[in-house]
DNA sequence: AATTTACGTCAGCCTTGTTGACATTCCAAG
DNA sequence: CTTGGAATGTCAACAAGGCTGACGTAAATT
């Protein structure tokens, strides 16, 4: 932990180290999405559906606007995905009671089951990676990822993290 | 480091912690690609072009097959991207001397410049994140990412990492 | 009453992935 | 020398999932 006073060890900031980090992100993200992708494929859904389902599960009753902000896509793009999920009974829509313009989104029982199968697969890999790397490494992992986010996304992340 | 014997602290493996890790990956990957994406947009290239340029830079003289294996796409998909890069003078092709079926790929001066501008942008963010998190965290970051890869991808990653 | 907000939808476009088919070139084995 | 298979290129067609722009409607706000 302690470095020579007045001069930390900065070898970890070389271009070479950074390139390794970049490639690690690239390859790891592939692994990260591989398992849910396989499941989604069998039911004619894509990653976009997964993301919607994930965040609706995470924040039940969230509005369309909210989801747009989190996912960072256009309403047309989200709507396409959302429509299929609703039509196929994965997501339930509820008109807002306080503000009737808003549509609140919930997973149905069927949708919750889908979410579980997807997140089980993804968590299994994440768990294996966590276990292999150990708690210390996991803490570092989270720190670096958080620092890599755009500030607005960091807000979204923290909001979810703290359970607001 | 040392835990109670026979029972490590496994709190970091809870579903809640794993969910945070999953969302961290999601939001961080967005940041990870945001800067190069902005540059690419201005020159009518996409992420696919970036990936090709990156790995050709990383392994000059690599073959099409090699690139296919690393990128994990079909040759038709890669070829489309590769052709525009060649046509626009970013990439130079050389017939193999030992095996003339192979096409060895190199960046031109122009392509190298493109690569530099893209990786400068991406490295800047990575460097900031690394610096903010510190060397200890970076080590953990890399450990978790590596553990998250598919085994075949880990091979590709290590091959590059060690400079084979 | 007028404006703004939240949402939905139609139409069209682009990138980047896919499959399938086919041609060429060339190495290597029989 | 011939032949099979490997490496590559290319054509066509399609799909997912981004995007913009335009328009409509209902509800809240001013």
């Amino acid at each position: 932990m302690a470095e020579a006073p007045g001069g930390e060890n900065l070898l970890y900031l070389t271009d070479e180290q950074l390139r390794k980090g970049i490639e690690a992100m690239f390859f790891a993200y592939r692994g990260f999405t591989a398992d849910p992708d396989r499941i989604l494929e069998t039911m004619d859904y894509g990653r976009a559906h997964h993301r919607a389902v994930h965040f609706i599960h995470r924040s039940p009753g969230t509005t369309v606007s909210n989801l747009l902000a989190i996912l960072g896509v256009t309403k047309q793009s989200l709507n396409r995905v959302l429509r299929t999920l609703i039509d196929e009974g994965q997501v339930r829509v509820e008109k807002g009671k306080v503000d009737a313009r808003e549509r609140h989104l919930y997973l149905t029982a069927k949708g919750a089951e889908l979410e579980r199968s997807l997140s089980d697969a993804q968590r299994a890999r994440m768990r294996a990676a966590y276990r292999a790397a150990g708690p210390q490494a996991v803490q570092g992992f989270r720190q670096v990822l958080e620092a890599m986010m755009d500030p607005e996304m960091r807000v979204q992340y923290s909001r979810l993290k703290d359970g607001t």
Side-chain angles (χ1 to χ4, degrees), chain A residues 12 16 26 33 36 45 77 79 108 114 119-120 139 150 155:
Chain A
Y12 76 112
E16 183 59 15
F26 173 69
T33 55
Y45 289 142
S77 202
N79 198 255
T108 63
L114 170 61
S119 66
D120 276 356
Q139 197 190 340
D150 272 343
V155 172

Side-chain angles (χ1 to χ4, degrees), chain A residues 136-151:
Chain A
Q136 191 79 38
V138 168
Q139 197 190 340
F141 166 73
R142 291 264 301 273
Q143 280 172 18
V144 174
L145 288 188
E146 192 159 348
M148 208 182 308
M149 297 174 196
D150 272 343

Side-chain angles (χ1 to χ4, degrees), chain A residues 102-119:
Chain A
E102 296 180 337
R103 302 299 141 94
H104 299 276
L105 304 170
Y106 302 89
L107 294 185
T108 63
K110 186 179 170 188
E113 195 180 345
L114 170 61
E115 193 283 330
R116 206 170 320 115
S117 80
L118 292 172
S119 66

